[in-house]
Amino acid sequence: MSGGRGSAVALAGLLTAAGITHLVRPEFYDPIVPRALPGPPLAWTYASGVAELAVAAAVAHPATRRTGGLAAAALFAAVLPANVQMAMDWRRRSPAWRAVAYGRVPLQAPLIWWALRVARS
């Protein structure tokens, strides 16, 4: 993925979609909130959805794209524990569901790389 305008728009779109789904379908995300975090999972789900929407807006606007890209990279790193939690919790599910859960963990690396490329563009 290049770091140009189209890449920034695509990253903003991904973050927007993720943010919206966190807010309208929190029941999917609540179970993967790491249990070590204080407070109710729903608060973390909503907070991450709002953060994704804010970062998407920053990435979409050229004047804040650098900061938005760096924030997106940090956000992708911050949600890695939730993906690990999901992989651990789903290890007894069907092979297809395990593949989804296990695939989310290494996917964070290219997402972080993409966000950093957008920040440098």
Side-chain angles (χ1 to χ4, degrees):
M1 189 70 50
S2 73
R5 182 182 179 279
S7 185
V9 169
L11 180 60
L14 173 76
L15 288 161
T16 298
I20 289 170
T21 60
H22 276 79
L23 299 176
V24 301
R25 295 288 313 268
E27 66 275 5
F28 175 79
Y29 298 98
D30 287 350
I32 66 171
V33 172
R35 291 177 265 297
L37 291 173
L42 183 61
W44 289 101
T45 299
Y46 282 156
S48 63
V50 169
E52 286 163 335
L53 292 173
V55 171
V59 167
H61 195 280
T64 56
R65 185 160 296 148
R66 177 172 167 67
T67 300
L70 294 172
L75 183 62
F76 291 139
V79 301
L80 180 60
N83 292 335
V84 170
Q85 184 71 57
M86 182 181 195
M88 291 180 355
D89 290 347
W90 288 23
R91 65 185 178 270
R92 289 185 181 83
R93 290 199 178 191
S94 71
W97 285 113
R98 279 196 315 264
V100 168
Y102 295 166
R104 287 174 58 109
V105 175
L107 180 62
Q108 295 312 111
L111 289 173
I112 292 167
W113 175 80
W114 181 17
L116 292 173
R117 297 236 345 156
V118 166
R120 286 190 295 267
S121 65

